[in-house]
């Protein structure tokens, strides 16, 4: 099978990350794509010394390279990048890009050119870094009418707000650290004034509602006026301040806005902290869904870039069998790997139960867990609501084998002081 040859333009953070991921995971990626993906040309203005790869300091040489099937645009900006992409499209290349500004501001023109030439333009990495949110909306939620979406889609802004809330640090100090960590845009006003988030929101809204990209019509307000005092008051009221991008379709049209927003702290998305991103999408069939992950950084963004390369490569594959997902059992070495029954799986657990508001209930529950060899990591017990004699008792356990947990919850549910069933949610740190 012929390999798919790609040209990468831009060898900065994301370009290097993409090259590294493609190299490190080449075999897996080839299995999923149905063909080998070969980096055969790199355009880097400062040059690069990579053996076996043609390197040009003139990035347009990549767009003109007759060998290349896919041009991966990772130079950023909206001027040279736009010319590069249009030239590559004119030459019949498929495009993969991480450039949110390019797509948000010139996407309509680029898509029209691509459509005329019959080539793909893929831009998963342009929104929320490693979170496959474009694919989620376009593929996973394709049955739905999207009603609204709301996202923390700028890691730098979220990092600043989190540090202000958690550590009382001041704005400039935190921004400086975000720049040092490599999350902030080259011009950090794009982050703190909401321009970067607006670029991403406009793209999401376009995909969700099937509307053209209309960056110039988005309302954009930054976080520069948020003080630590606001953060503290919000906290006392039970809210968190988040810099949200909101797109909502109502009877009159589509709301498209980026601004600081107070969210009840109990919302999952309110607890998305630091540089992490999250997007809530409400579909009429599925209801609300939440997508969370790293919104920036070399390899998280490369993860999305490479996924797009694989997608585009799949559509190039002539043989239909290569259009189905790669399955691990195609690899003989994986054949003997057993599938574990769920009762042998080990995770930590979130347990929620309705407990009678009287002394001794907590110790009964704790004793049952202890007898099963399950330790308690955290407990929350809320005040009973007015007129209620039961309270929610929430327990976070250590890791436990599921069958042990099953036995413990059966015993807990049998207690007179516990009403109804114990709600159980498995908890994974996903750290390893
Ligand atoms: N400056 C962006 C952020 C990088 O902080 O989220 C990823 O687009």
């Amino acid at each position: 099978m012929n390999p798919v040859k790609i040209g990468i333009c831009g060898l900065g953070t994301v370009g290097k990350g993409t090259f590294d991921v493609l190299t490190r995971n080449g075999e897996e990626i080839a299995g999923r794509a149905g063909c080998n993906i070969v980096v055969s040309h790199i355009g880097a203005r400062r040059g690069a010394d990579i053996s076996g790869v043609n390197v040009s300091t003139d990035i347009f040489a990549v767009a003109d390279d007759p060998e290349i099937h896919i041009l991966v645009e990772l130079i950023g900006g909206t001027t040279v990048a736009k010319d590069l992409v249009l030239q590559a499209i004119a030459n019949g290349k498929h495009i993969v890009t991480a450039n949110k500004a390019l797509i948000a501001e010139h996407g309509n023109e680029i898509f029209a050119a691509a459509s005329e030439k019959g080539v793909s333009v893929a831009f998963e990495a342009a929104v929320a870094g490693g979170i496959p949110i474009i694919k989620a909306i376009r593929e996973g939620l394709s049955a739905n009418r999207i009603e609204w979406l709301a996202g923390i889609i700028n890691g730098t802004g979220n990092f600043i707000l989190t540090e202000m809330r958690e550590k009382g640090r001041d704005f400039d100090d935190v921004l400086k650290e975000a720049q040092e960590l490599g999350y902030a845009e080259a011009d950090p006003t794009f982050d703190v004034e909401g321009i970067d988030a607006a670029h991403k929101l406009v793209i999401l809204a376009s995909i969700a509602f099937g509307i053209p990209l209309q960056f110039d019509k988005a309302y954009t307000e930054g976080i520069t006026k948020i003080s630590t005092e606001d953060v503290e008051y919000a906290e006392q009221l039970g809210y968190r301040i988040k810099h949200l991008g909101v797109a909502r379709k109502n009877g009159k049209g589509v709301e498209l806005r980026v601004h600081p927003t107070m969210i009840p702290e109990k919302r999952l998305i309110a607890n998305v902290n630091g540089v992490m991103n999250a997007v809530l999408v409400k579909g009429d069939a599925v209801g609300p869904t939440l997508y969370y992950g790293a919104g920036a950084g070399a390899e998280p963004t490369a993860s999305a870039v490479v996924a797009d390369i694989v997608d585009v490569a799949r559509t190039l594959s002539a043989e239909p069998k290569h259009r189905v997902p790669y399955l691990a059992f195609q690899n003989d070495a994986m054949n003997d790997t057993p599938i574990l029954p769920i009762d042998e799986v080990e995770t930590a657990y979130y347990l929620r139960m309705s407990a009678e508001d009287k002394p001794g209930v907590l110790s009964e529950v704790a004793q049952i867990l202890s007898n099963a060899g399950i330790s308690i990591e955290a407990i929350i017990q809320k005040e009973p609501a007015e007129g209620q004699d039961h309270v929610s008792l929430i327990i976070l356990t250590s890791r436990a084998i599921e069958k042990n947990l099953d036995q413990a919850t059966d015993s807990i549910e049998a207690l007179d002081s516990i009403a109804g069933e114990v709600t159980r949610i498995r908890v994974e740190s996903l750290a390893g």
Side-chain angles (χ1 to χ4, degrees):
M1 182 195 337
N2 290 332
V4 167
K5 295 190 177 174
I6 68 167
I8 298 177
C9 290
L11 211 53
T13 307
V14 179
K16 283 199 197 90
T18 299
F19 187 81
D20 290 348
V21 171
L22 279 169
T23 307
R24 189 174 72 232
N25 298 341
E27 201 176 319
E28 286 269 314
I29 291 166
R32 291 174 180 137
C35 58
N36 286 325
I37 309 276
V38 175
V39 180
S40 75
H41 203 157
I42 287 178
R45 278 171 279 201
R46 291 193 198 121
D49 185 15
I50 300 173
S51 76
V53 182
N54 180 16
V55 178
S56 299
T57 50
D58 172 14
I59 53 173
F60 286 85
V62 182
D64 291 337
D65 183 341
E67 296 275 299
I68 298 301
H69 301 103
I70 304 171
L71 182 137
V72 183
E73 183 278 304
L74 302 173
I75 62 171
T78 53
T79 52
V80 179
K82 181 183 168 196
D83 293 343
L84 177 75
V85 162
L86 289 175
Q87 186 163 319
I89 290 171
N91 288 335
K93 317 292 182 204
H94 301 271
I95 303 296
V96 170
T97 178
N99 191 332
K100 58 241 162 177
L102 180 68
I103 296 299
E105 295 181 29
H106 302 291
N108 298 328
E109 184 184 345
I110 290 168
F111 296 158
S115 170
E116 195 155 305
K117 271 283 178 182
V119 295
S120 308
V121 178
F123 47 91
E124 181 65 69
V127 181
I131 305 174
I133 187 64
I134 307 270
K135 287 178 175 60
I137 296 173
R138 191 182 258 168
E139 298 170 24
L141 301 181
S142 59
N144 290 261
R145 237 182 313 114
I146 306 297
E147 295 172 358
W148 55 266
L149 59 88
I152 296 172
I153 44 182
N154 180 268
T156 300
N158 200 40
F159 179 63
I160 291 171
L161 291 174
T162 302
E163 290 288 301
M164 287 171 75
R165 182 180 67 78
E166 290 181 351
K167 299 179 188 154
R169 291 175 65 187
D170 76 44
F171 190 92
D172 293 330
D173 176 35
V174 190
L175 175 58
K176 193 161 166 281
E177 191 183 339
Q179 288 174 288
E180 284 161 8
L181 289 168
Y183 290 108
E185 295 298 299
D187 176 354
T189 58
F190 273 48
D191 296 298
V192 297
E193 296 295 358
I195 299 159
D196 177 78
H199 281 143
K200 295 165 181 168
L201 181 71
V202 163
I203 296 171
L204 285 178
S206 173
I207 299 292
F209 304 128
I211 55 174
L213 296 143
Q214 295 164 84
F215 175 68
D216 53 335
K217 296 195 182 136
Y219 174 77
T220 307
E221 185 186 316
I223 56 168
T224 49
K225 298 196 183 92
I226 301 292
S227 67
T228 45
E229 210 179 0
D230 295 325
V231 173
E232 281 164 21
Y233 279 134
E235 190 92 349
Q236 284 171 28
L237 290 164
Y239 288 83
R240 298 268 166 89
I241 299 175
K242 293 291 177 190
H243 200 196
L244 278 197
V246 179
R248 185 189 301 269
K249 194 170 185 188
N250 59 35
K252 294 182 191 158
V254 173
E255 297 171 17
L256 210 50
R257 47 195 168 86
V258 173
H259 49 73
T261 310
M262 279 171 61
I263 314 172
E265 66 185 2
K266 66 186 176 194
R267 298 272 177 270
L268 277 176
I269 197 166
N271 295 283
V272 171
N273 291 319
V275 293
M276 301 306 277
N277 281 200
V279 184
L280 255 172
V281 184
K282 170 83 191 315
D284 68 330
V286 72
T289 56
L290 178 65
Y291 308 86
Y292 169 86
E299 293 213 352
T301 310
S303 167
V305 170
V306 174
D308 274 348
I309 294 170
V310 169
D311 267 359
V312 175
R314 275 190 195 130
T315 66
L316 299 178
S317 169
E319 296 176 59
K321 68 177 181 179
H322 292 134
R323 294 184 190 142
V324 300
Y326 169 73
L327 299 171
F329 66 71
Q330 289 168 342
N331 174 348
D332 282 345
M334 305 290 284
N335 274 344
D336 296 327
T337 310
I339 306 298
L340 292 176
I342 189 68
D343 67 358
E344 285 179 41
V345 167
E346 184 188 85
T347 69
Y349 294 89
Y350 161 99
L351 304 176
R352 179 172 54 79
M353 60 205 79
S354 179
E356 210 177 323
D357 185 31
K358 65 172 192 185
V361 176
L362 181 55
S363 69
E364 283 181 304
V365 171
Q367 190 61 54
I368 289 169
L369 290 170
S370 165
N371 290 348
I374 301 165
S375 51
I376 293 173
E377 298 287 341
I379 294 177
I380 301 169
Q381 187 178 331
K382 294 282 185 199
E383 292 287 324
E386 194 77 44
Q388 299 285 312
D389 58 0
H390 278 69
V391 293
S392 285
L393 178 61
I394 291 140
I395 295 177
L396 199 60
T397 73
S398 60
R399 288 170 70 83
I401 304 287
E402 181 125 359
K403 64 181 165 216
N404 295 342
L405 198 280
D406 284 341
Q407 284 169 3
T409 50
D410 286 348
S411 303
I412 291 169
E413 283 169 0
L415 292 171
D416 289 341
S417 48
I418 299 294
E421 290 181 358
V422 174
T423 298
R424 170 201 306 189
I425 301 172
R426 296 178 190 93
V427 178
E428 291 282 5
S429 71
L430 300 178

